[in-house]
Amino acid sequence: MIVGIGVDLVDIPRFERSLARTPRLLDRLFTPAEQTLKPHSLAARYAAKEALIKALGGSDGVHWTDIEVASEPSGRPVIALAGETAATVEARGITAVHLSLSHDGGLATAYVVAEAPDAPMDASGAGASAGAVAEASVDPTGGAR
């Protein structure tokens, strides 16, 4: 069951200017592995992190450097979670996070879908809220367990 979606759009030249003006942003927003990437890839990863926060319904318990956007050998982007952010996502019952990235024409965009198991039906036939699912977990490497 989809419990949240998020989308974000980043102006790449504006993002590059922000990084040039405030170099400490690299350490505050990105993991060491991400920091080696080119600005257009960083902009897409920033968009992915923003989209994830939107899909989660807010930033409480979420930390930028606990979120790493990596690529599978096929090139498919994935979100890997660590620390308090992984615990927060698990506590919300989210078992899978899907990510799509794109950049072109000076813009980077990301789309995130957060999923939880189907909520059990109550006596009326209505599904319980995703927050009621307590046994779900998210693998910090990005895959569902």
Side-chain angles (χ1 to χ4, degrees):
M1 167 174 78
I2 295 173
V3 295
I5 60 169
V7 64
D8 197 63
L9 183 67
V10 174
D11 180 303
I12 297 171
R14 181 176 175 206
F15 183 77
E16 287 181 275
R17 289 190 302 273
S18 294
L19 290 177
R21 240 185 353 263
T22 314
R24 290 188 336 218
L25 283 177
L26 273 178
D27 291 330
R28 289 176 33 206
L29 300 175
F30 301 104
T31 66
E34 292 171 322
Q35 291 176 23
T36 64
L37 300 171
K38 295 181 180 181
H40 67 276
S41 292
L42 288 175
R45 280 156 174 77
Y46 178 79
K49 293 176 186 204
E50 283 280 354
L52 175 64
I53 289 168
K54 292 172 183 175
L56 296 176
S59 62
D60 290 343
V62 178
H63 303 282
W64 290 97
T65 56
D66 283 352
I67 306 165
E68 182 171 290
V69 179
S71 297
E72 292 182 341
S74 66
R76 176 180 169 236
V78 292
I79 293 177
L81 303 173
E84 187 179 346
T85 301
T88 297
V89 168
E90 182 176 351
R92 293 181 187 178
I94 296 168
T95 57
V97 177
H98 307 278
L99 170 64
S100 181
L101 298 175
S102 186
H103 44 75
D104 189 31
L107 298 171
T109 190
Y111 188 82
V112 170
V113 176
E115 280 189 277
D118 287 339
M121 295 291 183
D122 65 17
S124 70
S129 72
V133 179
E135 296 184 27
S137 65
V138 171
D139 181 346
T141 63
R145 311 187 247 196

